[in-house]
Amino acid sequence: MGKGVLVAVVGPSGVGKDTLIGHARAALAEEDGFVFVRRLVTRGENAFEDHDTLDEAAFAEGVESGRFPVSWRAHGLGYALPAATLDAIAAGAVVICNFSRGAIAAARERFPAVRVVAISAPDAILAARLIARGRETEQGVAARLAREAICAREIDPDLTIVNDRPIEQSGGELVAYLRSLRG
């Protein structure tokens, strides 16, 4: 493996991980050494999540064959990083992806360097974003927020960004951190 690093961007649903990653992708588009990986998910495309879709059979086959460097299940769905992630890290890139807190240990076993960027937002903002998606009731959102408070204490991030400011500020923090990893 090269001297690349996997940057796992984690946080609760609705916190704006994909928005911040998209901002960083645009800001770093002309700079070498940054690779933005689209994770594979067993959910159809939607406006709220940036991913590539695969069906349950393809996910199971990929896990069984070892094709995915890291895979996990959450919320009844299968998630995986594509095989190209290994090549990018071996080439020394800073590889950024929307990731699961529950899969950080597996990533640390698989990759030589992993950095965790935790994204958070006040509960009121999270609740409004989740309700706007239309996938959960207000009761479901309240239960999710209670679970998220417990999960947030279980990780030890290298950077925490509170995503309650304009994208230029919150996204700017992520961009500055990613550039610092290129040394």
Side-chain angles (χ1 to χ4, degrees):
M1 286 275 183
K3 294 182 181 179
V5 60
L6 176 73
V7 179
V9 180
V10 302
S13 183
V15 80
K17 296 179 298 290
D18 285 323
T19 299
L20 291 175
I21 290 169
H23 176 84
R25 180 186 295 117
L28 299 169
E30 301 299 318
E31 298 181 36
D32 292 333
F34 297 98
V35 175
F36 291 84
V37 172
R38 288 171 55 99
R39 63 189 176 165
L40 308 168
V41 183
T42 59
R43 175 183 14 235
E45 293 183 24
N46 63 64
F48 302 107
E49 184 179 47
D50 185 26
H51 69 275
D52 289 329
T53 299
L54 76 165
D55 63 28
E56 283 288 343
F59 177 78
E61 188 280 322
V63 170
E64 179 70 26
S65 69
R67 188 175 75 232
F68 306 133
V70 178
S71 63
W72 64 94
R73 294 203 67 88
H75 313 296
L77 300 170
Y79 295 81
L81 295 184
T85 306
L86 290 171
D87 297 333
I89 289 178
V94 174
V95 177
I96 304 98
C97 67
N98 183 335
F99 209 74
S100 170
R101 292 167 291 195
I104 291 171
R108 288 186 169 137
E109 288 177 15
R110 182 70 167 144
F111 302 110
V114 176
R115 301 293 178 270
V116 178
V117 176
I119 311 299
S120 69
D123 283 354
I125 290 174
L126 281 179
R129 289 176 183 168
L130 290 170
I131 290 168
R133 289 182 175 185
R135 292 193 305 228
E136 297 182 59
T137 65
E138 287 187 32
Q139 210 172 23
V141 168
R144 180 185 282 264
L145 293 175
R147 285 191 312 270
E148 294 299 341
I150 294 166
C151 290
R153 292 189 296 262
E154 296 174 357
I155 63 170
D156 184 21
D158 297 284
L159 173 68
T160 298
I161 298 172
V162 179
N163 191 18
D164 64 350
R165 296 163 289 146
I167 189 68
E168 295 77 20
Q169 292 175 357
S170 301
E173 278 187 62
L174 179 58
V175 170
Y177 180 71
L178 295 173
R179 283 182 175 139
S180 77
L181 296 175
R182 289 295 301 156

